[in-house]
Amino acid sequence: MNPPNWQTYLVTQASLSEGRSTLEIVEAAIAGGVDAVQLREKDTDARRRYELGLEVRELTAEAGVDLIVNDRVDIARAIDADGVHVGQSDLPVAVARGLLGSDAIVGCSASTVAEAREAEAEGADYLGVGTIYGTTSKDVDPEQDGVGPERVAAIADAVSIPIVGIGGITADNAGSVVEAGATGVAVISEITAADDPRAATEALAQAVETATPIENGGIANE
Amino acid sequence: MNPPNWQTYLVTQASLSEGRSTLEIVEAAIAGGVDAVQLREKDTDARRRYELGLEVRELTAEAGVDLIVNDRVDIARAIDADGVHVGQSDLPVAVARGLLGSDAIVGCSASTVAEAREAEAEGADYLGVGTIYGTTSKDVDPEQDGVGPERVAAIADAVSIPIVGIGGITADNAGSVVEAGATGVAVISEITAADDPRAATEALAQAVETATPIENGGIANE
C-alpha cells in the first residue's frame, strides 16, 4: 500500500463524547473531512467493539475514509478494517503484519527515536508519535508536559515513514506539530469532546493544511 | 477436527499462582496429566500474553497437550494455538470460526441452555459451562451459588458437543459434574493455587476418570 498521508485522524473513545454515540462523532468527523478513524474504545468489551466496528466500517467505507483498529488484529480482520494500530504493550508490529498481510496498514505508537526506528524496521507503515502535549485523553499522567514537537522533529529525522502526532493536539497547536515534520495529527478529545465535532474537525484540517513543514532532512518535503 | 475429549483443562491466571510463574504451573499440570491449557491471563497486556503464549505453546506442543487462547483470536493465531475460547462478551463464535478456519478448536462459555444452543448452532466445538459452584477465580459474584451440575445436565440434553464444567470445581466435586454429563472439568484455582499443582491435577484427573457418567441420551438421571 501507499504510505498513509493523513492530515486528520480521529481516535474514538465513547467515554469522552459527552453522552453522544461514537457513531455520531464519527459521522460528524467524516462530514468535517477527517482522513482516518481509529476504533479505540479501550474500555469496551470485544463483542461491543466488533459490533460498533461493523457500523463504523460502513460509514467510513461509504466516505472513503480509512479505518484502523486499535490493538486487536482479530477485530480489524473481522470488520474488514484497513489496518491496525499497535502500542508498545500490544502485539509486535511484525506479528500484526504477519497476521494481516502486506496490503494492510500497520501503525505503531512511538515516543522515542529508538521505538520509532524499531517500528519502522519491523514494517510499520506510519507512526503515532506522542504524547505531544500533556493530555487527559489517554492513560498518561495528565500533569506531564509531553514530548513536544521537538520529538516529532527528531523522529522525522530518523525514519522515513509518515508520522501523526498525538496527545493534547488542538487546532491552535496542530501547526507546530506539522511544522516539526508530522504529516498530520491524531486526536481524541479535540473532536470527540467538542461542542461541534464537525467544526472541530474542519478547524483541525485547516490548521494542518496551512502549516508550513520545515524544509529539511526529515520527511516533510519528500 | 474431532470434538475435544478433555477430562482436565487448566485455565491460567498468574495472579492466583501464589507467586509462581504461569510456566511453572503449566509445567506441573502437564506432569500431572492435564489434557488442555487455556491461556487466559485477563489482567495482562497483549504483548505479555503473546510472549508468554509462545513459551506455553512450546511446553504444550512437546507434551501433546491442546492449547487454547481466551478471547483473542489474533494471539491464538500468532502463537499457533489449537484454538480459542470465547465468552458472551467476546467475538461471536461464528466470527472466531471464520477467522481461524474449520481445523481450529472454537469453544464458548455458556451458562444457560439458550446460550449453549446458540453456540452450537454457530459452530462451537465445545462448551465451557458454569459457573458451576460459587467461585472467586473469575469475575463473578463470589457469593453466588453457581448454576450447579443440574445446569450441565440440562445443557447436555440440549446439545451434542462436549461440555467442560467450570467454576469452583475441586477433586471432591468434579465427579458430580461428570456424572451430570460433562466430558471434563476446567479449573483455575484448584491447580493454580494448589500447594502441589501436579498432585492437584492428578487428583482431578482421577476424580473425573472414576466418575460414572449417566448412561442415557443426555440429562443426568432421566
Side-chain angles (χ1 to χ4, degrees):
Chain A
M1 52 141 283
N2 294 318
N5 197 30
W6 306 314
Q7 294 190 316
T8 55
Y9 182 141
L10 168 66
V11 180
T12 71
Q13 191 62 45
S15 55
L16 295 168
S17 66
E18 315 275 350
R20 297 163 296 189
S21 73
T22 291
L23 277 188
E24 196 178 332
I25 302 296
V26 168
E27 211 157 14
I30 289 173
V34 82
D35 296 313
V37 172
Q38 179 187 128
L39 186 75
R40 186 169 181 266
E41 311 286 340
K42 275 275 189 192
D43 42 11
T44 305
D45 64 44
R47 177 73 61 99
R48 178 70 193 124
R49 286 178 78 194
Y50 164 70
E51 289 169 346
L52 176 61
L54 290 174
E55 298 182 286
V56 174
R57 173 71 290 183
E58 206 170 323
L59 286 180
T60 51
E62 239 168 59
V65 166
D66 287 321
L67 175 61
I68 303 296
V69 173
N70 183 286
D71 175 25
R72 301 248 339 201
V73 174
D74 48 2
I75 296 178
R77 289 189 63 213
I79 67 171
D80 196 25
D82 298 288
V84 74
H85 185 94
V86 292
Q88 298 291 320
S89 307
D90 300 332
L91 286 174
V93 167
V95 172
R97 171 67 68 207
L99 293 173
L100 285 172
S102 56
D103 286 346
I105 299 172
V106 177
C108 185
S109 300
S111 59
T112 65
V113 169
E115 286 174 358
R117 285 200 167 114
E118 189 189 5
E120 183 181 42
E122 281 194 52
D125 294 304
Y126 77 92
L127 299 173
V129 170
T131 302
I132 304 292
Y133 303 106
T135 170
T136 56
S137 292
K138 295 186 75 185
D139 302 324
V140 295
D141 178 2
E143 295 306 310
Q144 79 169 38
D145 292 330
V147 300
E150 308 72 32
R151 188 64 56 80
V152 171
I155 290 176
D157 203 41
V159 302
S160 58
I161 51 178
I163 291 167
V164 292
I166 186 164
I169 294 174
T170 65
D172 286 340
N173 63 27
S176 317
V177 181
V178 173
E179 283 161 11
T183 307
V185 293
V187 302
I188 301 180
S189 301
E190 180 70 358
I191 293 175
T192 307
D195 286 342
D196 183 340
R198 174 182 176 155
T201 308
E202 289 168 343
L204 208 55
Q206 179 70 12
V208 171
E209 189 65 40
T210 56
T212 311
I214 302 302
E215 306 270 342
N216 76 3
I219 62 157
N221 57 351
E222 285 173 14
Chain B
M1 51 140 287
N2 295 318
N5 198 30
W6 306 313
Q7 295 191 314
T8 55
Y9 182 140
L10 167 66
V11 180
T12 71
Q13 191 61 45
S15 56
L16 295 168
S17 67
E18 315 276 350
R20 296 163 297 188
S21 73
T22 291
L23 277 188
E24 196 178 333
I25 302 296
V26 168
E27 211 157 16
I30 289 173
V34 82
D35 296 314
V37 173
Q38 179 187 126
L39 186 75
R40 187 169 181 266
E41 312 287 338
K42 275 276 189 192
D43 43 11
T44 305
D45 65 43
R47 177 72 61 99
R48 178 71 192 124
R49 286 179 80 194
Y50 164 70
E51 290 169 347
L52 176 60
L54 291 174
E55 298 181 288
V56 174
R57 173 71 292 184
E58 206 170 323
L59 286 179
T60 50
E62 237 167 59
V65 166
D66 288 322
L67 175 61
I68 303 296
V69 173
N70 183 286
D71 175 24
R72 301 250 335 202
V73 174
D74 47 2
I75 296 178
R77 289 188 63 213
I79 68 172
D80 196 25
D82 298 289
V84 74
H85 185 94
V86 292
Q88 298 290 322
S89 308
D90 299 332
L91 286 175
V93 167
V95 172
R97 170 69 67 207
L99 293 173
L100 285 172
S102 56
D103 287 346
I105 300 172
V106 177
C108 185
S109 300
S111 59
T112 65
V113 169
E115 286 175 358
R117 284 199 167 115
E118 189 189 5
E120 183 181 43
E122 281 193 53
D125 294 305
Y126 76 94
L127 298 173
V129 171
T131 302
I132 304 292
Y133 302 107
T135 170
T136 56
S137 291
K138 295 187 76 187
D139 302 325
V140 296
D141 178 3
E143 295 305 310
Q144 80 170 36
D145 291 331
V147 299
E150 308 72 30
R151 188 64 56 79
V152 171
I155 289 176
D157 201 43
V159 303
S160 58
I161 52 178
I163 291 167
V164 292
I166 187 164
I169 295 174
T170 64
D172 287 340
N173 63 28
S176 319
V177 181
V178 172
E179 283 160 11
T183 307
V185 293
V187 302
I188 301 180
S189 300
E190 180 69 356
I191 293 175
T192 306
D195 286 342
D196 184 340
R198 175 181 176 156
T201 308
E202 290 168 342
L204 208 55
Q206 178 70 13
V208 171
E209 189 64 41
T210 57
T212 311
I214 302 302
E215 303 273 342
N216 79 2
I219 199 153
N221 54 355
E222 287 176 5

